Amino acid sequence: MMLERLDLLQGIDPDAINALVDGRHGDPFAVLGPHPHADRTIVRVLMPGAVGIDLLDPASGAVATSLELVHPAGLFAALTDLPRYRLRIAWPEAVQETEDPYAFGPLLGDLDLHLFSQGTHYSLGRTFGAREMDVDGVEGVRFAVWAPNARRVSVVGDFNAWDGRRNPMRLRPSAGVWEIFIPRLGKGERYKFEIIDAAGNVLAQKADPIARASEAAPATASIVASATPYPWTDDDWMRRKTDIRDGEAAISVYEVHLESWLRIAEDGNRPLDWIELSQRLIPYAARLGFTHIELLPIMEYPFGGSWGYQPLGLFAPTGRYGTPEDFAYFVDRCHASGIGVILDWVPAHFPTDVWGLARFDGTALYEHEDPREGFHKDWNTLIYNFGRNEVKGFLIASALEWLEEYHIDALRVDAVASMLYRDYSRNAGEWIPNEYGGRENLEAVEFFKHLNSIVHQRCPNVLMIAEESTAWPGVTQPVENGGLGFDFKWNMGWMHDTLHYMEEDPVYRRYNHGQMTFGMVYAYSERFMLPLSHDEVVHGKGSLLGKMPGDAWQKLANLRAYFGFMWAHPGKKLLFMGGEIAQETEWNHDASIVWDLLDRPEHAGMQRLVGDLNRLYAGEPALQYGDLRPQGFDWAVSDDAEHSIFGMLRVSEDRTSMILAVSNMTPVPRQGYRIGVPAEGRWQEVFNSDAGVYGGSNLGNVEAWTEHHPAHGKPQSLSLTLPPLSTILLKWQA
């Protein structure tokens, strides 16, 4: 018996055996699995806790030989003549049949590894991570993970009792990638990676950075996702997205935090799942005329209080609302209803949870080593190292995963300013200048250009939207013209200026008149979206309604007038949930929108007003053309600070459609207010925020006819009734 044991371990250093059974061997395939021995084969299997192991002939299923225990820690071995075999493993309370993971050779191709190292492997979600596949007729899951500085990496899960000794992986040294094929696994399996760092320390078990499914928080395991493609039914939608990209069409976005849009009080105050959201959110947004639903980040994230803005699973839809297939169904249903889907996407930073990306293999792998480059004090998060090819490729592949695999129509990239500036929210001495001594993050600039170029090459009809709050030039200019290549940029300046104006008592608005007009000074320097987002109704800022001055009626009238001004103003529109019903309280991410407000006519009227504005915007070319082209806009009245009145003229490209929007931002009605217009004839009132159906005083014009009375440089003019705290829109009838 002793001689046989020596033969079965022939040529293997005793230290290697000890490292293997201790779970510290960096090259397990050198010992385990089949190895030639003279004209036969030695098979070695490490199964700690197994009672016995037999080799089965896969053709007949008969036992060919039994393996001998050659180390008490669970190392078994035997000589065999079989070219292929299966294992039958006897456990104390069960018997398992499976193929030997260590009988399979490397599966990742050299091209995959090369592209990964170059940062140009754009299909990581379908190649790395956990991938269902068939190898030589055997179904199972191939696992692959990047950990170049690890001494040993194992995949652990329910299938191996979370024991890191059982399935150590093979290192592909050219790319620092570890891989293994585990037979007879499939979708739904939970797993993580157990890593020993270069110093020999066993790290906290890590979730898969490229997992395509994850457990819902507070659980943290990755889940093997199905490799079966979703059966999409949105071919027509995908073909007609072109005019969205070119900016001609109306874009009106309903921004939603899914956990707090609607909770079911009768069922533990839980949020809706993807199927329920398909049944309730989609019809709601469609009924109000929104063209897109924008979701706060749904990539898997551990801390609910981050609203998703600190994600750790950039390839996995959060398990909070169901499976990846359920999410795909939600997107498919949106498209069937004519609604696009925008996802907030966060490539700026990630949380420090030990089971996540932080010091993934014991080193600063995804982040910077130096905290002056790699740590956000504001958010207690780590910053991606955009200068590293593998990290850039990881992030770009994440973006493409959502766009290509889930048919997402746009990504809104969060916190772009924090990425562009090395001194973002840092004091002197807390940041490292770039190679030229400047504050610009040149690596992030290159990343954005690369990202947007690849996205637009592979997904020519999707939108890339930047949340960028500074005056960085060329955010929406094409990369070939020196820009960052985004399609739209949130106009944070417009939002701050106009909200500040609206918060003023009307008595003092005359002194802040320029805050409402200043946005047009730079309106065409970028392609802008006007955002009234979640950030404006949280952290003590109150609700949109709460910002408005005056008594209850005036607050509602102010908000109605403001919405009318916003929809008439050049720029695509975005409104955070709850704004459309004039929610009175600040957004609470742990509760629902206060839907009971719709029992009050004035709040139901606000909802109706938003829907009417969306339909008017979508149906009037004059309200669309000037969004991106100065030829489509002119001030009719911009200098009447004394009366706090603004007049905007919107025209279509062929000038056959004209809309005059007039806002009276005081509670004083104005009779006979004269405004010059460019065309003679009848101008019909098509929107009045003071209409009784919205909760207003029902003062208005119905229609107005031009008079040969020059005004504002025009040979003819209208004499209008301007309701108090209102915006009216009149359409020229050719």
Side-chain angles (χ1 to χ4, degrees), residues 403-417:
L403 299 173
E404 294 181 339
E405 302 298 332
Y406 289 104
H407 291 200
I408 296 303
D409 302 283
L411 295 179
R412 177 266 198 186
V413 183
D414 183 61
V416 169

Side-chain angles (χ1 to χ4, degrees), residues 596-610:
D596 291 349
L597 287 172
L598 290 174
D599 293 335
R600 305 182 198 171
E602 62 271 26
H603 290 271
M606 187 71 74
Q607 185 189 59
R608 179 173 178 174
L609 174 141
V610 170

Side-chain angles (χ1 to χ4, degrees), residues 496-575:
H496 285 298
D497 287 346
T498 58
L499 277 180
H500 183 269
Y501 176 90
M502 294 304 299
E503 289 173 8
E504 292 285 346
D505 188 290
V507 172
Y508 303 111
R509 285 178 176 169
R510 68 183 68 184
Y511 306 116
N512 297 276
H513 194 78
Q515 291 184 313
M516 294 291 269
T517 60
F518 182 66
M520 289 309 304
V521 173
Y522 60 88
Y524 301 107
S525 62
E526 300 277 8
R527 293 161 55 105
F528 280 122
M529 182 172 285
L530 310 181
L532 293 178
S533 76
H534 63 280
D535 279 329
E536 312 322 314
V537 293
V538 75
H539 297 321
K541 297 177 184 177
S543 66
L544 290 179
L545 183 67
K547 299 177 193 296
M548 302 295 118
D551 59 24
W553 189 93
Q554 290 179 333
K555 284 179 178 292
L556 287 159
N558 270 298
L559 187 57
R560 291 194 301 265
Y562 183 46
F563 283 162
F565 178 86
M566 174 180 173
W567 260 256
H569 194 284
K572 308 307 181 184
K573 327 299 177 190
L574 179 142
L575 181 64

Side-chain angles (χ1 to χ4, degrees), residues 262-564:
L262 175 63
R263 288 175 175 259
I264 307 301
E266 301 79 17
D267 192 6
N269 204 36
R270 67 169 179 84
L272 303 182
D273 62 28
W274 289 120
I275 306 304
E276 293 168 323
L277 288 162
S278 300
Q279 298 164 345
R280 303 188 71 165
L281 172 58
I282 296 173
Y284 178 80
R287 180 166 62 85
L288 290 187
F290 287 101
T291 65
H292 290 75
I293 294 173
E294 178 171 335
L295 304 179
L296 271 62
I298 54 90
M299 300 80 193
E300 193 60 73
Y301 57 98
F303 176 45
S306 76
W307 318 326
Y309 287 103
Q310 295 185 12
L312 274 176
L314 286 188
F315 291 75
T318 177
R320 288 167 170 82
Y321 314 116
T323 66
E325 291 80 8
D326 293 339
F327 172 61
Y329 174 82
F330 172 81
V331 176
D332 207 24
R333 291 300 85 208
C334 281
H335 291 169
S337 298
I339 294 176
V341 180
I342 302 173
L343 297 186
D344 281 12
W345 181 64
V346 188
H349 59 138
F350 57 91
T352 58
D353 302 72
V354 295
W355 49 269
L357 299 178
R359 302 194 74 82
F360 188 78
D361 64 357
T363 67
L365 195 60
Y366 289 88
E367 69 272 36
H368 294 270
E369 182 70 47
D370 193 320
R372 292 176 296 173
E373 294 183 286
F375 186 72
H376 268 309
K377 292 192 301 181
D378 292 356
W379 303 316
N380 192 35
T381 54
L382 298 170
I383 301 169
Y384 286 104
N385 183 350
F386 305 113
R388 188 159 193 169
N389 286 339
E390 297 93 341
V391 175
K392 286 187 294 186
F394 166 80
L395 293 170
I396 293 171
S398 164
L400 291 169
E401 178 79 7
W402 302 102
L403 299 173
E404 294 181 339
E405 302 298 332
Y406 289 104
H407 291 200
I408 296 303
D409 302 283
L411 295 179
R412 177 266 198 186
V413 183
D414 183 61
V416 169
S418 76
M419 302 167 69
L420 290 174
Y421 298 96
R422 287 175 163 265
D423 63 345
Y424 181 87
S425 195
R426 297 178 187 273
N427 299 318
E430 295 178 346
W431 59 282
I432 299 175
N434 63 34
E435 60 183 302
Y436 303 109
R439 58 196 286 256
E440 300 81 10
N441 189 330
L442 303 179
E443 293 81 10
V445 171
E446 191 279 331
F447 164 72
F448 284 131
K449 292 182 176 182
H450 190 174
L451 166 72
N452 289 323
S453 295
I454 293 300
V455 164
H456 289 138
Q457 175 186 328
R458 292 174 63 119
C459 309
N461 294 328
V462 307
L463 300 176
M464 296 295 288
I465 304 165
E467 189 231 2
E468 203 286 310
S469 56
T470 74
W472 186 282
V475 172
T476 59
Q477 288 296 310
V479 171
E480 55 269 27
N481 295 342
L484 296 184
F486 286 97
D487 296 291
F488 288 99
K489 170 181 171 174
W490 276 19
N491 194 337
M492 311 294 280
W494 177 91
M495 176 271 297
H496 285 298
D497 287 346
T498 58
L499 277 180
H500 183 269
Y501 176 90
M502 294 304 299
E503 289 173 8
E504 292 285 346
D505 188 290
V507 172
Y508 303 111
R509 285 178 176 169
R510 68 183 68 184
Y511 306 116
N512 297 276
H513 194 78
Q515 291 184 313
M516 294 291 269
T517 60
F518 182 66
M520 289 309 304
V521 173
Y522 60 88
Y524 301 107
S525 62
E526 300 277 8
R527 293 161 55 105
F528 280 122
M529 182 172 285
L530 310 181
L532 293 178
S533 76
H534 63 280
D535 279 329
E536 312 322 314
V537 293
V538 75
H539 297 321
K541 297 177 184 177
S543 66
L544 290 179
L545 183 67
K547 299 177 193 296
M548 302 295 118
D551 59 24
W553 189 93
Q554 290 179 333
K555 284 179 178 292
L556 287 159
N558 270 298
L559 187 57
R560 291 194 301 265
Y562 183 46
F563 283 162

Side-chain angles (χ1 to χ4, degrees), residues 176-248:
V177 172
W178 301 74
E179 67 162 326
I180 193 171
F181 176 73
I182 307 292
R184 304 200 183 198
L185 295 187
K187 70 176 183 178
E189 291 281 358
R190 300 189 308 151
Y191 71 99
K192 284 187 177 181
F193 295 110
E194 185 179 277
I195 298 174
I196 296 178
D197 69 15
N201 303 305
V202 180
L203 306 179
Q205 291 178 344
K206 297 282 190 176
D208 183 358
I210 307 180
R212 294 187 296 114
S214 299
E215 289 187 295
T220 59
S222 302
I223 296 175
V224 176
S226 172
T228 303
Y230 179 81
W232 293 95
T233 63
D234 63 348
D235 288 352
D236 288 344
W237 170 270
M238 298 297 283
R239 280 193 293 268
R240 67 173 186 258
K241 289 201 301 185
T242 306
D243 56 348
I244 299 293
R245 171 84 197 285
D246 64 24
E248 292 297 332

